[in-house]
Amino acid sequence: MKNNLLPLGTRDEFGVRSEEKQRIIEVIQRHFRNLGFARISTPIIEKQVVFQPYQLVNSKMYRLLDQEGDTIVLRPDLTLPIARFLSSTSIPLPQKFCYVGDIFRLSRSLSGSYNQLTQAGIELVGYQSTKAELECLINIYDLSREILDEQVTIELGYADFAKIFLDIFTTDVNLRKQVAQALFDKKITEYERLISSFEDQRLYPLLKEWPRLFGEPEDIFQELNQYELPKSVTLRLKKIKEIVLLVKQILPKQQLVIDLSSRAPQQYYTGLTFRGFAKSGEDYIFSGGRYDNLLANFQAQNEPAVGMGIDIDLLTDLCVKKFNRIPKTLVFSSIKNWSKAQALVKKLPNATLSLSDTKADALKEAQKLQAKLIDIEEDEDEFEDSSN
Amino acid sequence: MNLKIALTKGRVEKQVIPLLEKAGIDCTQLRNKKRRLIFNSMSQPFEFILAKGPDVTTFLERGVVDIGIVGSDILTEHRNSQYELLDLKTGQCQFVLASTDDFDPDEPKRKIIGTKYPNITKDYFDTLGQDVEIIKIEGSVELAPLIGLTDAIVDITETGTTLRENNLKVFDYLDKVSTRVVVNRMALKQHPQEIFRFVDQLKKIVTEEKALS
């Protein structure tokens, strides 16, 4: 067997991708440090039992055994280790934590998915107020502008909305689960077949519309206003409306949508959920929400909490795409003009120094790198233009 | 913005092109495809990509296409996790458990089953509470019990003719199969109007066809 092969689903990172990823991590760490968050890092291996409440969709955990024969896993998530940490220490609450680290998920082999992913995030533990959710949303706004130079769309939902809404129609737990599953997967044919037994119920027209119940807040609220809904549903809608109003006041330019037809990011979520996505990109960049029962997995006393994860790899992909659109420049000079050349490199967005001894070699180097060559001594005018 | 649509090559492609045309989508390029696989249009907001069914699911999972048109057999087998918005009611067939006449489904033994669809086969026998040995067959699955490789097969049949011609008998009927319109989860959030317009255009035609049949 060859000794230089990587395991499936992993990769080496170098050059622009590595640089961009590091830059993004630094921006995020600085951002949260400036906001007074406490940095936390936990081991990459944990006991498997820590992740009991964690749902892995289409992937599995890497497992190994420790000296005692207990099953150890490479962490697939960074929130539960923090909950484990809080339950095993006497850290005073409330606290705001921020983290950056790698998570590991065994995805379907040969699917093109990576098994080692970098995630950043925050956990606001011990905060009951809506201000905790708001702080996350404001951070999505600030970070997306700082890192991507564009706004992401924030999508709001409510963790148990589907369950509460389906309670109106049936007490059959199994049927409720099947309908919710078909709704979340938008298996429309299956969904329509399952809900046909509720045809004579007053809210059936809304049930029929439900898979498409996402979009601009005004449109969704207008649609829902046509129906008389039970208090359990209106209470949750009130919470979403409250957040929508606050965001519109504080971040009037922020694009907001509501989705009441999607699954919560994890089953441990209990309240408002939020995610952020860019115009391009294959997944959500930001994902989080309220999970007031999280610590109950580890201790008797519960604590209110809101958290948010940030997909660093996806952010990196988007930034690298932008970076690659900037033409590469190779700067050539004699040793006596080295400082001048280096100063120019620092000013240009995608440039590096040529280390070739002759201009002819520098030209070959530029060809290999598909870069434009600037000779600092000959292209004086261009150099002057770029410096200004 | 052009919607990227991956269409399964072969039978699905032949059955779906008339539906697309009835929905007002110009398929001239697809009809005159020669050996091309990607079809960009200047006049309509679609880019069609022809691919094999399993690849359509991979493209959808990786988010490199917005929409896929593919059989539900492949979606189930490949554990599709993207949105299945419409049943086109074409390519209708059914999974069956079939074998030679002397096969006894109740015989107390660990059966050997040949199939192109190991996940669907495992799911089926799981529901029966039976543990079976599955052999993945790539070509003519009907051969497996005839040459003594397996006790039975799980395969798709449309009319049952191939099974009958090979002296095989149906012992059980499993899930029905048809062609589906599947949408990448993120694409639906990024381009909801365009995607729903496309799906609704097709849904109208499917409903009309159903009313006529």
Side-chain angles (χ1 to χ4, degrees), chain A residues 363-378:
Chain A
L363 268 168
K364 283 182 199 160
E365 194 185 344
Q367 268 172 1
K368 276 187 193 164
L369 293 171
Q370 295 182 315
K372 176 190 167 190
L373 183 72
I374 292 182
D375 180 338
I376 205 113
E377 281 116 23
E378 285 179 18

Side-chain angles (χ1 to χ4, degrees), chain A residues 181-192 211, chain B residues 60 68 70-77 79-88 176 178-185 188 196 199:
Chain A
Q181 184 78 30
L183 170 84
F184 296 149
D185 295 340
K186 296 212 184 338
K187 286 191 170 170
I188 302 303
T189 311
E190 173 73 355
Y191 177 78
E192 288 177 348
Chain B
L60 280 164
V70 61
S72 59
D73 53 330
I74 288 165
L75 292 170
T76 311
E77 181 62 25
R79 306 285 193 231
N80 167 56
S81 64
Q82 306 301 318
Y83 293 147
E84 211 177 291
L85 293 192
L86 183 64
D87 182 350
L88 290 176
K176 289 187 173 164
S178 58
T179 305
R180 308 288 163 94
V181 176
V182 187
V183 174
N184 172 266
R185 285 170 180 262
L188 189 65
F196 280 137
V199 170

Side-chain angles (χ1 to χ4, degrees), chain A residues 58 111-112 155 184-189 212 214 259 262 277-284, chain B residues 58 61-62 78-79 81-87 185-186 188-190 192 196 199-200 203:
Chain A
N58 281 343
S111 66
E155 178 184 290
F184 296 149
D185 295 340
K186 296 212 184 338
K187 286 191 170 170
I188 302 303
T189 311
R212 292 195 182 191
F214 62 90
D259 185 355
S262 285
F277 61 92
K279 284 189 204 86
S280 58
E282 66 201 41
D283 211 337
Y284 291 100
Chain B
T58 305
E61 287 293 334
R62 301 294 301 143
H78 289 264
R79 306 285 193 231
S81 64
Q82 306 301 318
Y83 293 147
E84 211 177 291
L85 293 192
L86 183 64
D87 182 350
R185 285 170 180 262
M186 210 61 248
L188 189 65
K189 297 294 168 67
Q190 287 158 334
F196 280 137
V199 170
D200 290 343
K203 188 176 182 179

Side-chain angles (χ1 to χ4, degrees), chain A residues 241-309:
Chain A
K241 278 181 189 168
E242 183 193 350
I243 279 282
V244 169
L245 272 176
L246 285 169
V247 172
K248 287 200 182 256
Q249 276 169 24
I250 298 168
L251 310 169
K253 288 182 181 164
Q254 176 60 51
Q255 170 108 27
L256 269 183
V257 291
I258 289 176
D259 185 355
L260 297 173
S261 65
S262 285
R263 184 186 280 115
Q266 275 298 322
Q267 62 181 6
Y268 55 68
Y269 282 71
T270 55
L272 194 93
T273 60
F274 45 82
R275 299 189 243 219
F277 61 92
K279 284 189 204 86
S280 58
E282 66 201 41
D283 211 337
Y284 291 100
I285 301 168
F286 302 92
S287 179
R290 179 168 285 282
Y291 24 79
D292 288 343
N293 300 332
L294 191 65
L295 287 188
N297 291 300
F298 303 100
Q299 62 181 39
Q301 196 197 331
N302 239 332
E303 286 292 341
V306 173
M308 171 175 83

